[in-house]
Amino acid sequence: MAASLPEYFFRIRENGAFVFRVDTENRQRRIDMDQIAAVNIRNGEIKPHGGRALSDQDLAAIKSWMTERSAVLAARDIDDIKRAVDHLSLTAHWAQTKASPDQLEAVTDDLLLAMHDLRSVLVRKKADRLMKQAPKGD
C-alpha cells in the first residue's frame, strides 16, 4: 500500500489547502505526514510552514495542484449554475401544478426578488459584453 501513496497530500480548506509531504520511508514503516506549506487558491499565495524552505520539486507539485484545483472549482461553479437552472424549471413546474396558495404565499416574494436581482445582473453583464463587441464608431 505505501508504495502507491502520493508524495504530497493536500488537505482541502475553504481558500486552498494545507500541503503535507507523505513519508513512508521510516523505521516504523508508518505513514508520516509533515506539513510543509499552506496554499491560498484565491490569491495564489504559497506560505512555507514552520520557517522551512520549499524545494523546486515542492513548488512544482504545489503549483500543479493549484492549477488542477482551480479547474475543478471552475467546473463545479458551472455545474452549480446549470443545476440552478434545473431548479428554476422544477420550481416553475411546482408553482404551476402542485403548490398550494399558502405555499406560494410563503415563497413568492423571495423568489421574485431573487429572480429580479439575477435578471438585472444578467442584463447588465450582457449589455457590457455587447458594448465591448460593438464596432467603434467614428
Side-chain angles (χ1 to χ4, degrees):
M1 176 184 127
S4 65
L5 292 175
E7 190 170 348
Y8 299 94
F9 172 73
F10 294 83
R11 182 193 299 155
I12 305 299
R13 59 190 183 116
E14 188 168 331
N15 294 333
F18 293 121
V19 184
F20 296 85
R21 186 177 294 117
V22 178
D23 177 20
T24 57
E25 300 297 322
N26 56 60
R27 290 176 47 178
Q28 294 84 18
R29 299 182 58 88
R30 293 188 314 200
I31 298 171
D32 288 330
M33 295 191 341
D34 182 27
Q35 184 176 352
I36 62 170
V39 176
N40 186 318
I41 290 285
R42 289 188 183 149
N43 65 16
E45 187 174 52
I46 300 170
K47 287 184 183 176
H49 181 72
R52 72 180 66 227
L54 299 174
S55 70
D56 290 341
Q57 181 180 350
D58 294 337
L59 287 171
I62 291 168
K63 288 177 182 177
S64 175
W65 178 86
M66 290 173 76
T67 300
E68 291 172 17
R69 182 70 178 166
S70 293
V72 165
L73 294 175
R76 284 183 185 168
D77 282 346
I78 294 298
D79 187 56
D80 287 346
I81 299 306
K82 289 181 178 184
R83 287 174 191 260
V85 171
D86 289 350
H87 283 285
L88 282 171
S89 293
L90 291 169
T91 302
H93 183 69
W94 168 83
Q96 186 174 21
T97 63
K98 298 178 183 176
S100 71
D102 288 341
Q103 289 174 316
L104 287 172
E105 187 62 35
V107 298
T108 295
D109 290 343
D110 289 339
L111 280 169
L112 288 172
L113 288 170
M115 290 185 312
H116 175 74
D117 181 38
L118 176 60
R119 184 185 184 282
S120 297
V121 170
L122 292 174
V123 167
R124 185 175 58 251
K125 293 289 194 172
K126 178 79 170 187
D128 290 348
R129 289 192 313 273
L130 291 173
M131 293 299 291
K132 288 179 182 176
Q133 293 174 356
K136 302 287 186 217
D138 299 61

